[in-house]
Amino acid sequence: MDETQDSLRTLLNSQYLHSIFLNLLRTSHAGSEILYICISSLNAAYYTAEILIMVGGIVAAETQSGFTHLLDPNKKWFNNKRLITLNAWIVLLLITSCTNGYDGSMMNSLQSLPQWKDYFNHPSPSQLGLLNAIQNIGSLAAYPFAPYLSDGIGRRRTVIFGASIMCFAAIIQAAAQSVGMFIGARFLIGFGLTFPANAAPMLVSEISYPPYRAPLTAAYNSLWNLGAIIAAWTTFGTFRIASTWAWRTPSALQGLPSVLQIFLAWFLPESPRWLVSKGRDDQALKTLAYYHADGNPNDPLVQYEFNEIKAAIEFDRNVVANVGWKSLFSTPGNRKRMRIIVAIAVFSQWSGNGIASYYLNQILTDIDITDPTVQLLINGILTIWSLFWALLASGLIDRLGRRFLFLSSTIGVLFAWIAQTVSFAVFWEHGIPAAAHSLIAFIFLFSAFYGLALSPLIVVYTVEILPYHLRAKGFTVFNFTISLALIFNQYTNPIALGRLAWKYYIIYCCWIAFEIVFLYIYVVETKNLTLEETAALFDGKEAIEEITGNGRIDLTESEKDVARYTEIEDIRQDSSIKEA
């Protein structure tokens, strides 16, 4: 906690914050304001990134992974053909998140298009809520089936199945002739997206080369912002089309990532963990050897991974005979997992981000920035800014650790949200232009802090704390919770903003403060552990001995591995996870 406090103090006292306020106070026009925000944002990025990297270098030395001594120090992602190929396949999976981000940003941008509003007769706040929420309602309909497909037919085929539905839905959305047709298409988009959204991040985590597993899995949710960027700037580009193609074009392009997945996902490697669970051990070993050791099945790292996977799955079979939905809550360790997973899913959507993601144009209108061009431009710049911070945090996840990023993120989010509340209130009550300018600056600051953890960490943390036999179902609960939170937001936010204006922000101030307390008490540090070692942290000493012991090569003769066992047990004891 000392590192968190010191870094935040340095951040909040840094020069770039002062430059933001000074610049904003000197401006009086929205167009000039954007330029100043961009310049200030670059200063922010430079100084804060420097702080994070410096802290990361210090923290990284604390923990070394159990497989570190088995790695080839000369083997990097950029100089090994097999790793380059593997990471290219992983990128194909990561674009699933782009599709999701594209949807949120597209709906935000469409609300600024006169062509879209005129065609659908200027939807009321309640209609806007339904248009935004229907995608998540479609997701709810698919959740009962997604984990069974992921565990039944495999991660790869589940991605292809969902992508096929997505393509069909995007065609209907682009060709919509009525509000009902548009809503139906968005329902299908949510239904189809659920399947790859369940399978893709698990497959990324399960096939990644061990040193890159956490950053790549964290990049999955971070690339939500890339999809948002594409949607924001596509809509900005089609804004001047005088016909309905101003909104039909971005609607059609939403299906492009799914087209790529349909044609290319057949060549993806299947999860070695799924293969072992189906008794296809030879194929699992061959997959690990091909991508992680240039085809050598006797490589020490491959043997370590393979033995640990087999031990973990066998342990799960012996301990948990029933792997139905009840098993998610059947043991103290599982209840601890689900408490954290449900909480971070809710926090990721109820930290104020839902307002900026879906109703930014309404906020800008409330502070007298009504020009659609300016609104679209601010939205486009904001998405690029958010992507930068999410990818930066993804790259530093194993240096800084999960607890540090979660706590830094939520504390910063609280600070920025309180500042937004004050700025909005001052402008609403007194009409001071500088307060409106400050609100935009604090929206950017909020997005930076949000991107440190609540964007990149929630998926990787959920996947890594779940053992294999619970991973698909537990991840479905995570996505289901997010959809419920989103539906609530999308119905409530436009109505509450219309009636309460800035006072609605106070509710989020209180809620984010609660998030900080919860994360401080319950989040367990998992950096630099394998998937199996991380899952064992929640299940006690027996699980650690069973899984890590079987994954070791010459355990009794290796002092490094004995030290590793002691380290994992110390982490478990120090995590202070309360018994459910």
Side-chain angles (χ1 to χ4, degrees):
M1 283 303 296
D2 290 339
E3 291 170 350
T4 304
Q5 294 169 350
D6 291 343
S7 296
L8 283 174
R9 190 179 299 112
T10 304
L11 177 61
L12 297 178
N13 289 332
S14 62
Q15 182 180 357
Y16 82 86
L17 284 180
H18 298 290
S19 66
I20 286 178
F21 298 132
L22 289 174
N23 285 329
L24 288 176
L25 288 174
R26 290 169 183 165
T27 63
S28 58
H29 300 290
S32 301
E33 176 186 333
I34 295 171
L35 177 62
Y36 280 107
I37 290 173
C38 291
I39 296 172
S40 300
S41 299
L42 290 175
N43 289 331
Y46 175 79
Y47 286 113
T48 310
E50 198 171 71
I51 292 169
L52 289 174
I53 293 170
M54 178 183 67
V55 175
I58 298 171
V59 179
E62 293 181 1
T63 306
Q64 295 297 321
S65 180
F67 52 78
T68 302
H69 62 290
L70 303 176
L71 297 172
D72 180 357
N74 299 317
K75 187 175 184 178
K76 305 296 182 182
W77 66 269
F78 53 83
N79 64 10
N80 184 275
K81 292 182 179 179
R82 298 283 174 87
L83 285 185
I84 293 173
T85 302
L86 177 61
N87 290 336
W89 292 132
I90 288 174
V91 169
L92 183 65
L93 296 168
L94 295 179
I95 63 175
T96 301
S97 186
C98 293
T99 306
N100 203 1
Y102 187 101
D103 183 84
S105 182
M106 183 190 72
M107 286 306 301
N108 196 2
S109 298
L110 290 184
Q111 293 170 54
S112 295
L113 291 181
Q115 300 93 322
W116 183 84
K117 290 187 288 188
D118 291 341
Y119 192 84
F120 293 110
N121 297 319
H122 294 266
S124 65
S126 60
Q127 288 176 322
L128 283 177
L130 178 60
L131 282 166
N132 283 316
I134 193 65
Q135 190 249 26
N136 290 290
I137 294 173
S139 296
L140 291 179
Y143 283 138
F145 310 106
Y148 291 103
L149 257 67
S150 293
D151 285 343
I153 66 175
R155 290 22 175 161
R156 180 181 59 188
R157 291 178 180 174
T158 302
V159 169
I160 296 170
F161 174 77
S164 301
I165 299 175
M166 282 285 296
C167 285
F168 178 68
I171 293 172
I172 296 176
Q173 181 176 256
Q177 301 297 311
S178 64
V179 174
M181 190 172 176
F182 193 84
I183 290 174
R186 289 186 50 71
F187 177 90
L188 282 178
I189 286 173
F191 186 87
L193 181 60
T194 298
F195 295 98
N198 179 267
M202 293 191 295
L203 186 53
V204 169
S205 186
E206 292 169 358
I207 65 175
S208 295
Y209 190 56
Y212 305 134
R213 177 186 62 80
L216 285 172
T217 310
Y220 174 85
N221 214 48
S222 301
L223 290 182
W224 188 98
N225 296 290
L226 179 60
I229 289 170
I230 296 171
W233 289 102
T234 298
T235 311
F236 183 77
T238 62
F239 168 66
R240 298 191 182 280
I241 298 176
S243 68
T244 59
W245 283 105
W247 61 266
R248 293 188 192 277
T249 300
S251 296
L253 289 176
Q254 188 170 3
L256 183 59
S258 299
V259 172
L260 294 175
Q261 289 180 329
I262 290 173
F263 286 102
L264 298 177
W266 295 102
F267 306 102
L268 281 168
E270 185 54 271
S271 165
R273 289 162 178 82
W274 182 82
L275 293 170
V276 169
S277 73
K278 299 300 181 182
R280 296 157 64 177
D281 292 14
D282 291 343
Q283 190 176 348
L285 180 59
K286 184 178 179 180
T287 300
L288 287 170
Y290 183 86
Y291 288 104
H292 293 185
D294 297 319
N296 180 14
N298 297 315
D299 181 86
L301 174 64
V302 169
Q303 287 295 314
Y304 179 97
E305 291 183 277
F306 182 64
N307 291 331
E308 192 172 59
I309 291 169
K310 287 180 63 178
I313 291 178
E314 186 61 32
F315 176 80
D316 292 339
R317 285 172 178 162
N318 293 335
V319 173
V320 184
N322 174 23
V323 292
W325 294 97
K326 290 176 62 177
S327 62
L328 293 172
F329 306 94
S330 61
T331 68
N334 290 347
R335 289 191 289 273
K336 295 169 189 174
R337 291 181 175 97
M338 297 313 299
R339 177 170 56 202
I340 295 173
I341 288 170
V342 170
I344 62 175
V346 173
F347 295 168
S348 72
Q349 304 305 320
W350 283 6
S351 296
N353 53 302
I355 293 178
S357 295
Y358 286 89
Y359 301 104
L360 178 62
N361 69 306
Q362 184 173 336
I363 297 298
L364 296 176
T365 300
D366 286 342
I367 58 174
D368 290 345
I369 298 177
T370 57
D371 186 342
T373 302
V374 175
Q375 290 185 353
L376 290 169
L377 191 58
I378 291 175
N379 186 38
I381 296 171
L382 185 61
T383 52
I384 296 173
W385 169 256
S386 300
L387 177 64
F388 168 80
W389 287 103
L391 291 179
L392 176 65
S394 298
L396 296 174
I397 185 173
D398 277 335
R399 290 189 176 188
L400 299 174
R402 281 61 162 166
R403 277 183 62 84
F404 174 86
L405 287 172
F406 268 124
L407 292 172
S408 299
S409 177
T410 47
I411 292 171
V413 161
L414 178 60
F415 166 81
W417 194 260
I418 292 173
Q420 284 187 64
T421 305
V422 173
S423 299
F424 199 176
V426 170
F427 178 83
W428 192 263
E429 299 295 334
H430 305 288
I432 300 174
H437 301 162
S438 297
L439 176 61
I440 297 176
F442 285 123
I443 289 174
F444 276 77
L445 187 62
F446 169 88
S447 296
F449 280 115
Y450 183 90
L452 291 182
L454 294 174
S455 180
L457 258 66
I458 57 173
V459 169
V460 64
Y461 196 75
T462 297
V463 170
E464 68 187 8
I465 68 175
L466 287 165
Y468 175 81
H469 74 284
L470 296 177
R471 193 164 292 145
K473 291 183 176 65
F475 194 59
T476 297
V477 171
F478 168 81
N479 285 319
F480 178 81
T481 305
I482 285 180
S483 290
L484 287 180
L486 276 170
I487 290 170
F488 176 85
N489 274 355
Q490 289 159 351
Y491 270 118
T492 304
N493 284 339
I495 299 172
L497 283 170
R499 295 182 178 179
L500 299 177
W502 68 269
K503 298 182 181 69
Y504 184 49
Y505 278 47
I506 298 174
I507 297 173
Y508 281 107
C509 291
C510 300
W511 177 256
I512 297 168
F514 166 76
E515 291 179 6
I516 295 170
V517 176
F518 183 95
L519 293 171
Y520 177 81
I521 295 173
Y522 292 113
V523 168
V524 184
E525 185 55 70
T526 59
K527 67 176 180 179
N528 295 322
L529 300 177
T530 66
L531 287 176
E532 285 67 36
E533 291 168 343
T534 298
L537 286 175
F538 290 81
D539 295 317
K541 184 175 181 179
E542 178 185 353
I544 295 174
E545 290 175 339
E546 179 72 20
I547 294 171
T548 61
N550 280 280
R552 295 279 157 36
I553 301 170
D554 297 327
L555 179 64
T556 57
E557 299 177 5
S558 174
E559 293 182 359
K560 290 182 179 180
D561 288 336
V562 172
R564 180 61 177 164
Y565 163 77
T566 304
E567 180 185 341
I568 295 173
E569 178 63 14
D570 289 343
I571 293 174
R572 187 184 69 84
Q573 293 175 353
D574 292 343
S575 65
S576 301
I577 306 176
K578 297 182 179 180
E579 292 293 332

